[in-house]
């Protein structure tokens, strides 16, 4: 079998915008729906990918990811396979709060969070970065083993995409994030026997000007990452 036949092409897509993205709230694994802009972003994604051959479409089972995946699936006449393993990081009882609220409640926790302490467990019942990273990479490995040599889409969350970026570019788990994670952006990755590599990151060329960046740019990742917003 040739090397090309072993390569899986991955379109890693962040969900569209939610109201909590705009508000800067930590969504984590709470089930928050897309806002109007997010729904429009999802349709623009579908328009961009309608002629793109995909062998499979996977999505986190949280509503904001599924609402982003469904228009793509409809355009391509492909089913969406949902996986809990593609969910955002669990932030424990800090889910639903802003990082300013976390700082006021628990300044020591906020400091460990900002420092990306890989063993820090947010909100008592959340996931440490080590546990979260292991879950995401195992889920991705399970997916690509079923689609060797194919092209797949994965609709997921900012924290998940952050993990994939770090893995593909060999960034340390504690390194400050300097890369973008815009809502409804498309990142193109390759999975081969040598591991994950990047082709293009956070492409938003399919979005119109009004859908490009969320207000205040919240992301699904760490509250210390001010270039994006919360979950």
């Amino acid at each position: 079998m040739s090397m090309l036949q072993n390569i899986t092409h991955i379109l890693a897509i962040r969900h569209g915008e939610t109201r909590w993205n705009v508000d800067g709230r930590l969504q984590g694994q709470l089930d928050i729906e897309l806002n109007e802009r997010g729904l429009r972003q999802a349709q623009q994604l579908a328009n961009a990918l309608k002629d793109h051959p995909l062998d499979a479409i996977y999505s986190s089972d949280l509503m904001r990811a599924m609402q982003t995946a469904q228009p793509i699936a409809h355009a391509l006449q492909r089913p969406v396979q949902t996986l809990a393993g593609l969910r955002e990081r669990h932030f424990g009882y800090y889910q639903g709060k802003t990082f300013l609220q976390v700082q006021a409640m628990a300044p020591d926790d906020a400091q460990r969070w900002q420092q990306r302490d890989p063993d820090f467990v947010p909100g008592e019942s959340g996931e440490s970065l080590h546990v979260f990273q292991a879950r995401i990479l195992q889920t991705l490995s399970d997916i690509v083993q079923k689609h060797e040599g194919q092209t797949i889409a994965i609709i997921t969350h900012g924290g998940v995409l952050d993990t994939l970026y770090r893995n593909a570019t060999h960034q340390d788990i504690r390194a400050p994030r300097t890369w973008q994670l815009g809502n409804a952006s498309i990142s193109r990755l390759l999975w081969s026997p040598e591991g994950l590599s990047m082709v293009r990151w956070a492409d938003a060329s399919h979005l119109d000007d009004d859908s490009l960046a969320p207000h205040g740019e919240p992301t699904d990742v760490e509250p210390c990452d001010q270039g994006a917003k919360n979950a």
Side-chain angles (χ1 to χ4, degrees):
M1 182 179 291
S2 72
M3 179 66 73
L4 289 177
Q5 289 175 300
N6 289 330
I7 294 176
T8 300
H9 295 252
I10 302 168
L11 276 62
I13 300 169
R14 187 178 174 211
H15 65 78
E17 186 184 271
T18 72
R19 181 63 201 172
W20 279 20
N21 284 143
V22 177
D23 294 343
R25 294 189 179 279
L26 295 160
Q27 294 174 118
Q29 295 188 8
L30 296 181
D31 214 7
I32 310 304
E33 64 184 7
L34 299 182
N35 63 14
E36 288 188 14
R37 178 180 292 193
L39 292 170
R40 187 164 64 252
Q41 290 170 336
Q43 189 56 57
Q44 290 174 329
L45 274 167
N47 294 342
L49 297 175
K50 66 180 187 301
D51 297 320
H52 197 300
L54 291 176
D55 295 291
I57 300 172
Y58 287 87
S59 173
S60 159
D61 62 353
L62 295 177
M63 188 185 308
R64 56 193 184 273
M66 290 193 296
Q67 285 182 308
T68 306
Q70 285 162 356
I72 301 170
H74 178 75
L76 292 169
Q77 295 298 294
R78 288 273 181 191
V80 178
Q81 302 179 60
T82 58
L83 293 174
L86 291 173
R87 288 182 181 184
E88 181 57 275
R89 182 182 176 189
H90 199 299
F91 297 129
Y93 56 65
Y94 293 138
Q95 294 183 152
K97 294 178 170 51
T98 67
F99 191 60
L100 287 176
Q101 290 174 320
V102 176
Q103 287 177 309
M105 291 170 59
D108 290 344
D109 280 5
Q111 183 177 28
R112 292 182 70 188
W113 204 331
Q114 286 184 307
Q115 293 171 344
R116 292 189 59 85
D117 180 342
D119 298 312
F120 168 62
V121 176
E124 294 186 355
S125 60
E127 291 175 291
S128 71
L129 283 173
H130 275 147
V131 169
F132 176 56
Q133 181 184 70
R135 166 167 68 84
I136 297 312
L137 296 179
Q138 183 60 58
T139 300
L140 184 65
S141 178
D142 292 344
I143 291 171
V144 297
Q145 285 178 22
K146 300 175 185 177
H147 299 285
E148 189 174 281
Q150 296 183 343
T151 300
I152 62 174
I154 294 173
I155 295 84
T156 185
H157 307 269
V160 177
L161 290 169
D162 180 74
T163 297
L164 299 184
Y165 183 99
R166 291 174 188 276
N167 187 264
T169 59
H170 310 291
Q171 297 273 344
D172 186 79
I173 196 170
R174 299 189 73 151
R177 189 176 61 77
T178 59
W179 44 94
Q180 294 299 310
L181 293 164
N183 289 109
S185 61
I186 303 172
S187 297
R188 298 175 187 272
L189 303 164
L190 301 177
W191 180 287
S192 72
E194 285 70 46
L196 197 62
S197 60
M198 189 193 307
V199 177
R200 186 174 184 183
W201 189 254
D203 177 15
S205 60
H206 52 283
L207 300 176
D208 63 31
D209 290 344
D210 188 49
S211 292
L212 277 173
H215 302 293
E217 219 184 345
T219 136
D220 294 359
V221 226
E222 305 309 315
C224 54
D225 293 332
Q226 295 302 317
K229 272 193 182 179
N230 310 306

